[in-house]
Amino acid sequence: MDRTARFKTLAGGISIGSELITAGTLSGCFIDETDGTRVLVSNWHVFEGTPGETRVLQPGKYDGGGGKDTVGKVKRLVPVPPREKFPWWKKLICLLLGWLLEEWCTAGAEPAKADCACATFEPVDESRELVEGVYLDDGSIIHPKQDHPGDGIEGRTVWKSGRTTGITKGTVVADSAKVKVFYGDKWVIFEDVIVVQGEAKGGDSGSPVFLAKKPEPSEEDEFIGLLFAGSYNQFIVCKNKYIRQLLKVRWT
């Protein structure tokens, strides 16, 4: 299946993004615990924008999305970093030389715990629908109904569904790690995150990640969090418990 295409039926694992970014991955359908509505969820850097104003496109702009592909608006954000905004001149220096000036370009005195955001589901095309679950590589949708906080899973097998690399499996090598992630113009420290030995590439940000109960993805698996950073053979996941606590949404 082509995960960068325009979908009539929206589920986790396909291209999405705010009108301000290129494209990332739709995490899936969640329940907003503040009002009981169904919402779209992905990373903060995928749904970057102003709540109530910035449009969310499926597919993302990089994949050809435009006004006619609007599926909602940014609703609520857990911004990264949680504190301190760099002045423009520091952003420019860190953009060019951040890899050399890592300590000076590290934002926030307090480590972050999640990179996540939600958006309303209000498609311009009313024939489009949002369903529970995620896309597999054959185009079918499965719905793992259970969730897991993300703690105590070191050594376990997990899988994700992403825009770029589709379904990939991996092994949890750390379930309470402290890491430093580069966000283009600044380094951000995260703590109590999950590190997975597994494949991910650009555009997979926002991929929903599941704790495997069987050799292949199944509806018995448990949602544990969102992929928000990584490389060819490793990716980092923010835990479900912080997504629920900070963004106030729950997997459904």
Side-chain angles (χ1 to χ4, degrees):
M1 65 175 288
D2 179 6
R3 293 173 180 268
T4 66
R6 185 182 194 271
F7 285 78
K8 181 177 180 180
T9 300
L10 277 67
I14 60 175
S15 171
I16 202 163
S18 83
E19 60 187 313
L20 303 181
I21 69 111
T22 53
T25 297
L26 172 62
S27 310
C29 173
F30 287 66
I31 296 296
D32 184 340
E33 296 189 312
T34 69
D35 60 16
T37 61
R38 297 191 309 155
V39 290
L40 307 164
V41 167
S42 191
N43 293 146
W44 163 78
H45 69 272
V46 175
F47 282 177
E48 184 176 349
T50 303
E53 296 180 12
T54 305
R55 296 177 301 170
V56 172
L57 313 176
Q58 194 296 306
K61 188 164 61 174
Y62 181 83
D63 297 322
K68 69 183 188 318
D69 304 305
T70 299
V71 290
K73 290 183 179 179
V74 174
K75 185 175 186 180
R76 196 161 54 250
L77 307 164
V78 177
V80 175
R83 296 195 301 179
E84 185 182 354
K85 201 165 187 177
F86 288 169
W88 69 267
W89 55 268
K90 188 171 182 178
K91 280 188 176 183
L92 180 59
I93 294 172
C94 291
L95 178 63
L96 298 173
L97 300 170
W99 59 282
L100 283 174
L101 304 171
E102 184 175 332
E103 184 173 350
W104 188 70
C105 292
T106 298
E110 181 181 329
K113 290 185 170 65
D115 176 340
C116 53
C118 65
T120 60
F121 181 63
E122 302 172 290
V124 170
D125 179 351
E126 295 182 357
S127 71
R128 304 180 81 179
E129 60 178 347
L130 173 63
V131 301
E132 299 164 336
V134 300
Y135 275 99
L136 298 181
D137 288 337
D138 63 3
S140 64
I141 296 173
I142 65 167
H143 179 207
K145 299 175 181 63
Q146 303 301 316
D147 67 348
H148 186 288
D151 297 327
I153 58 172
E154 188 168 330
R156 301 284 298 276
T157 299
V158 299
W159 61 274
K160 69 102 180 80
S161 179
R163 165 201 173 274
T164 308
T165 56
I167 302 293
T168 60
K169 301 175 186 177
T171 302
V172 176
V173 295
D175 63 9
S176 187
K178 191 170 188 176
V179 300
K180 194 173 286 187
V181 178
F182 193 55
Y183 275 79
D185 60 1
K186 58 183 172 288
W187 289 91
V188 179
I189 297 173
F190 286 83
E191 66 178 7
D192 199 18
V193 296
I194 301 165
V195 180
V196 177
Q197 196 72 33
E199 182 184 9
K201 294 182 180 178
D204 282 330
S205 290
S207 298
V209 183
F210 300 89
L211 185 63
K213 298 296 187 69
K214 294 183 176 182
E216 297 301 324
S218 78
E219 297 200 341
E220 296 177 21
D221 299 336
E222 297 176 313
F223 171 74
I224 61 167
L226 305 183
L227 184 157
F228 71 96
S231 62
Y232 177 73
N233 62 359
Q234 193 173 80
F235 58 84
I236 305 171
V237 180
C238 55
K239 293 182 177 181
N240 176 38
K241 68 177 185 179
Y242 294 122
I243 296 165
R244 191 163 184 175
Q245 173 188 328
L246 300 173
L247 189 58
K248 297 179 172 53
V249 299
R250 61 178 170 83
W251 174 256
T252 183

